[in-house]
Amino acid sequence: MNKSLLLVPVGLSSILGTVQAKNRKQAEGCDKPLNIIYIMTDDHSFQTISCYDGRYNRTPNLDRLAREGVRFDNSFVTNSISGPSRAVLVTGKHSHKNGFLKNEGGKPFDGSQQTFPKLLQQGGYQTALIGKWHLISTPTGFDHWEILPGQGSYYNPDFITPEGTHREHGYVTNLITDKGIDYLEHRDRSKPFCLLLHHKAVHRIWMSDTCDLAEFEDQTFPLPETFWDDYAGRPAAADQEMSIDKDMDLAYDLKMVDSTIDTRLKWSIVHGELERMTPAQRAQWDSVYRPLIDRFLAAGLSGKELAEWKYQRYMRDYLKSVKSLDDNIGRLMEYLEREGLLENTLVVYASDQGFYMGEHGWFDKRFMYEESLRTPLLMRLPDCWTRAERGRGVKEMVQNIDYAPTFLTLAGLPVPADMQGVSLVPLLRGERPKGWRDAIYYHYFEFPGEHRVRRHYGVRTDRYKLIHFYGDDIDAWELYDLKSDPAELHNRYDDPKLAKVRTRMHAKLEQLREQYDDRTE
Ligand code: SGN
Ligand code: CA
C-alpha cells in the first residue's frame, strides 16, 4: 500500500497543517471535534453477532451499530490473544515492535512508549480507560483509568484505580457500562474525549448475569460441521489443548459443581468465582444450575454424547454472557443518543480477537485459522463525517494495527511514521482506495503455554493462507485455499497443483516480514 498517501511523519508542521485542513474538509458540516468511544469485548466471536452471522442469537444493539455505521467483514488481528492485541491497539504496531509478545512468560508492557492515547492527550483530548487492561504495567496516557486486575471477575469484581484496589457489588458488564456513563457525565465538557471501554465478557468461564441465567436453556444449537475434525495433515492442530471434548472442564467451564464430579479445575470456580457471590446471587445461580447438574448426573453421558452435550452447555453459557453485553451496549447507545453525543462521536465495537464456537471441536483462539484470526469490527461515524451509505459491509482487509492511525486521523492529528497500520478513514467514508493492502501478516508467540498452541507466523490474502508453525519440536508449513476450503481442513502445502501459489505466498510472506521488520522466530 502506498503509505505516503495516508501517513504523516511527526514534526513536519507544514504537512500537519495540510492534514488538519484535510480533516476539516472531511468533517464539513461538523462544527465540533470528534469524540471517540472504543468498546472492546474479550473473546467475542463474530459467529455470535447477528449482523455477521444469524445462526445462533440476536444482538439488536450491535446490529444497530452496524446498520448505522459500517461492518468490516475482513477484520483481523495480528496475534490472537488478549494482552498482545491490546498492546497492538494502543501502539498501532505489531507485537515484535511494541514488545508485548504474549500474555504469559513475557515482559510487562513498556508504558513509556508512544501510544495513541498519549498522542490524543497532546492533541487536546481527555482520555479514559475503563475495564480489562491485561498489560501488567500501570496504564499510561490516560487522564482517568479504572481497570480490572488481570482477567477480572464476573461477580462483585475488584477494580484498580490510581488510589488502590476496591471491590464493587454487581455483574461486571453492568458495572463497566455504569462507569463508562458516569465518566461521560463528569467529563470536562470543554475538551473532546476518547474513552476505551474494555469488557471482561465474554471471556472464559462465560458466567451470565443473574437476570439472564434462564436464557437459551430451551435452545439446541447445530453442531459445527468441523466439530469432529481429525486434524489430518495439521500436526499443530492435532496437538492443542483446547478441545471441547477433551479439555473443557465439567465443573470449571460448565459449572457442573457437585461432590460426585471431581475435576482438577473445580477448586478454582468453587473458591474463585462462586465464592465471590453474595448469598442472594448464589441462590439465583443455584436455582438454575442445580437442576441442570441433577439432570446431567441422571443422564450418565459418555463418549460422543458427552462431548456434544458439553458443546450445547458451552453455547448456552457463552450466549447468555453475550446477551448482557448487547443489552449494555444498547444502554450506552441510548445514553449517547439522549445526550446528543452520537452527532459528534465515533463509536467502535471490536473484540480482542475471535473465538471458536466448536469449529474444529474447539473453544479458545490463538491459531491463525479464520475463527480466531478474524475479529468483529463495527464503526459508527456521525452523519457529517461520512458520505458513505450506512449499513455497508467493507470487504477490504483491515487489522488491529489500523485502529490507532484511524483514531489519530479522525482527531486531525498526524500519524507517526513508525506506526505500522494505516488509517481506515477512506473506507469509513465509502471510498475504495487504490492499492489497499492485498495481504495481512500474523505472528503468535505463546508456546509453551495454556492450550498448547505452537508458535506460528503467516500471511493471508483474499484467497490463500500460508502458515509456518515453528520452534521447540515443530517445523510445519500449511497452505490453504480459502475459496475451495473455507473451513481449512485440507493442508495443500505439498500439493503440486498449488506449487505456483506456494511460491507466490512464500514471496508475499517474506515481503511482509521485511515490511514490518519481523526477524523474530
Ligand atoms: C486464561 C484462560 C485461558 C485463555 C487465557 C487467555 N484460562 O488463562 O483459557 O486462553 O486466559 O485469554 S482461565 O482458566 O483463566 O479461564 S485472553 O483472552 O486473556 O488472551
Ligand atoms: Ca481475549
Side-chain angles (χ1 to χ4, degrees):
M1 181 177 335
N2 185 351
K3 281 187 139 198
S4 61
L5 287 175
L6 303 162
L7 302 188
V8 180
V10 188
L12 299 180
S13 54
S14 58
I15 298 181
L16 169 58
T18 319
V19 170
Q20 285 172 336
K22 189 164 170 255
N23 266 292
R24 271 199 298 277
K25 196 155 168 268
Q26 281 178 349
E28 242 166 82
C30 289
D31 48 4
K32 294 183 194 147
L34 192 71
N35 303 308
I36 297 166
I37 298 185
Y38 174 81
I39 308 166
M40 179 155 72
T41 46
D42 200 347
D43 293 359
H44 191 187
S45 55
F46 58 85
Q47 302 94 304
T48 55
I49 300 180
S50 43
C51 64
Y52 277 108
D53 182 337
R55 284 176 299 168
Y56 303 125
N57 61 336
R58 290 281 157 262
T59 49
N61 296 297
L62 288 172
D63 291 5
R64 171 185 174 184
L65 258 185
R67 200 170 56 245
E68 296 178 1
V70 299
R71 188 191 67 225
F72 288 88
D73 289 338
N74 285 301
S75 150
F76 305 99
V77 292
T78 64
N79 182 359
S80 181
I81 187 156
S82 166
S85 170
R86 291 156 208 272
V88 167
L89 159 74
V90 292
T91 60
K93 295 177 185 172
H94 279 274
S95 306
H96 63 278
K97 285 289 181 192
N98 67 47
F100 200 89
L101 301 181
K102 41 195 175 180
N103 280 351
E104 302 293 333
K107 292 182 298 219
F109 179 68
D110 170 11
S112 70
Q113 67 186 294
Q114 165 187 281
T115 62
F116 85 79
K118 288 185 192 171
L119 296 169
L120 286 180
Q121 276 181 325
Q122 288 161 22
Y125 274 70
Q126 57 193 311
T127 60
L129 163 71
I130 295 169
K132 184 174 174 183
W133 174 238
H134 211 202
L135 287 176
I136 309 168
S137 56
T138 303
T140 55
F142 298 99
D143 301 307
H144 171 89
W145 57 267
E146 188 163 6
I147 58 172
L148 299 168
Q151 298 284 6
S153 304
Y154 275 107
Y155 277 90
N156 311 326
D158 291 336
F159 284 93
I160 308 172
T161 69
E163 283 74 50
T165 303
H166 67 282
R167 188 173 287 205
E168 294 203 17
H169 176 260
Y171 181 70
V172 70
T173 310
N174 303 330
L175 290 172
I176 288 174
T177 308
D178 290 345
K179 287 178 189 300
I181 293 174
D182 191 61
Y183 167 75
L184 295 175
E185 277 288 284
H186 295 100
R187 72 189 193 276
D188 174 353
R189 285 168 198 253
S190 69
K191 288 181 179 176
F193 65 82
C194 171
L195 166 63
L196 307 189
L197 204 60
H198 290 187
H199 285 284
K200 170 186 173 57
V202 281
H203 192 272
R204 191 182 183 188
I205 47 176
W206 321 292
M207 290 176 85
S208 56
D209 192 357
T210 46
C211 60
D212 297 319
L213 282 167
E215 297 279 335
F216 298 100
E217 284 300 335
D218 57 352
Q219 284 190 44
T220 303
F221 300 93
L223 207 63
E225 278 171 27
T226 59
F227 188 80
W228 291 111
D229 191 353
D230 64 2
Y231 313 117
R234 290 157 289 150
D239 196 33
Q240 43 55 47
E241 291 174 353
M242 47 193 260
S243 144
I244 292 176
D245 180 18
K246 298 194 181 69
D247 306 303
M248 187 173 267
D249 191 84
L250 278 174
Y252 178 66
D253 289 305
L254 302 178
K255 299 97 179 169
M256 296 294 109
V257 176
D258 185 80
S259 57
T260 63
I261 299 175
D262 197 20
T263 73
R264 187 171 54 86
L265 289 174
K266 183 165 85 177
W267 189 91
S268 26
I269 181 169
V270 174
H271 299 287
E273 289 288 358
L274 292 183
E275 207 166 67
R276 299 185 77 87
M277 290 180 166
T278 63
Q281 290 166 336
R282 185 64 199 267
Q284 277 182 279
W285 182 270
D286 287 342
S287 74
V288 172
Y289 279 92
R290 189 64 245 175
L292 291 172
I293 297 167
D294 292 339
R295 277 217 300 279
F296 169 69
L297 291 173
L301 304 172
S302 62
K304 280 199 163 184
E305 248 189 341
L306 175 60
E308 293 180 12
W309 174 90
K310 286 168 95 177
Y311 165 74
Q312 296 298 338
R313 282 255 41 93
Y314 164 52
M315 290 298 281
R316 289 178 191 133
D317 285 354
Y318 186 99
L319 291 171
K320 290 179 200 183
S321 318
V322 172
K323 161 88 169 47
S324 161
L325 208 52
D326 188 71
D327 289 344
N328 272 288
I329 283 157
R331 198 154 67 83
L332 178 66
M333 290 296 283
E334 271 168 33
Y335 173 81
L336 298 176
E337 191 161 26
R338 206 166 52 239
E339 294 294 309
L341 280 167
L342 285 180
E343 285 151 36
N344 61 336
T345 303
L346 166 74
V347 184
V348 180
Y349 183 82
S351 172
D352 61 345
Q353 14 65 205
F355 212 68
Y356 294 93
M357 307 307 307
E359 299 88 355
H360 304 288
W362 295 339
F363 64 104
D364 216 64
K365 52 264 176 175
R366 301 164 191 261
F367 278 106
M368 198 191 162
Y369 303 129
E370 288 296 276
E371 291 80 1
S372 46
L373 174 64
R374 284 180 61 188
T375 195
L377 181 64
L378 309 171
M379 291 196 184
R380 183 196 186 283
L381 269 177
D383 282 330
C384 57
W385 278 85
T386 175
R387 49 169 186 250
E389 183 197 335
R390 298 195 170 276
R392 282 167 313 127
V394 169
K395 301 292 175 219
E396 277 80 359
M397 288 189 279
V398 307
Q399 231 173 346
N400 51 346
I401 39 171
D402 301 331
Y403 305 172
T406 304
F407 301 155
L408 291 170
T409 305
L410 286 169
L413 295 168
V415 178
D418 63 347
M419 280 195 175
Q420 296 184 310
V422 290
S423 164
L424 303 177
V425 172
L427 300 177
L428 286 171
R429 304 186 72 225
E431 292 159 16
R432 305 284 316 270
K434 280 211 184 76
W436 190 258
R437 68 163 68 88
D438 60 0
I440 56 144
Y441 180 64
Y442 182 86
H443 199 157
Y444 170 81
F445 297 86
E446 193 175 307
F447 187 87
E450 202 176 357
H451 301 298
R452 211 176 152 72
V453 174
R454 296 302 197 293
R455 277 179 261 173
H456 57 293
Y457 57 85
V459 56
R460 182 202 191 275
T461 63
D462 60 349
R463 171 142 186 205
Y464 297 104
K465 188 185 289 181
L466 177 69
I467 313 177
H468 184 209
F469 291 93
Y470 71 90
D472 308 286
D473 53 353
I474 200 165
D475 179 8
W477 289 89
E478 296 183 7
L479 177 65
Y480 296 97
D481 178 350
L482 299 171
K483 193 168 171 201
S484 62
D485 177 27
E488 298 163 294
L489 298 176
H490 307 290
N491 176 9
R492 310 271 303 274
Y493 190 74
D494 293 319
D495 182 345
K497 287 202 199 89
L498 287 194
K500 278 195 185 139
V501 170
R502 169 172 146 174
T503 306
R504 265 204 328 268
M505 290 299 282
H506 269 290
K508 194 80 218 172
L509 180 61
E510 270 320 296
Q511 183 202 320
L512 290 183
R513 281 174 67 80
E514 173 99 38
Q515 178 186 328
Y516 294 125
D517 193 26
D518 185 7
R519 291 293 150 209
T520 51
E521 182 178 313

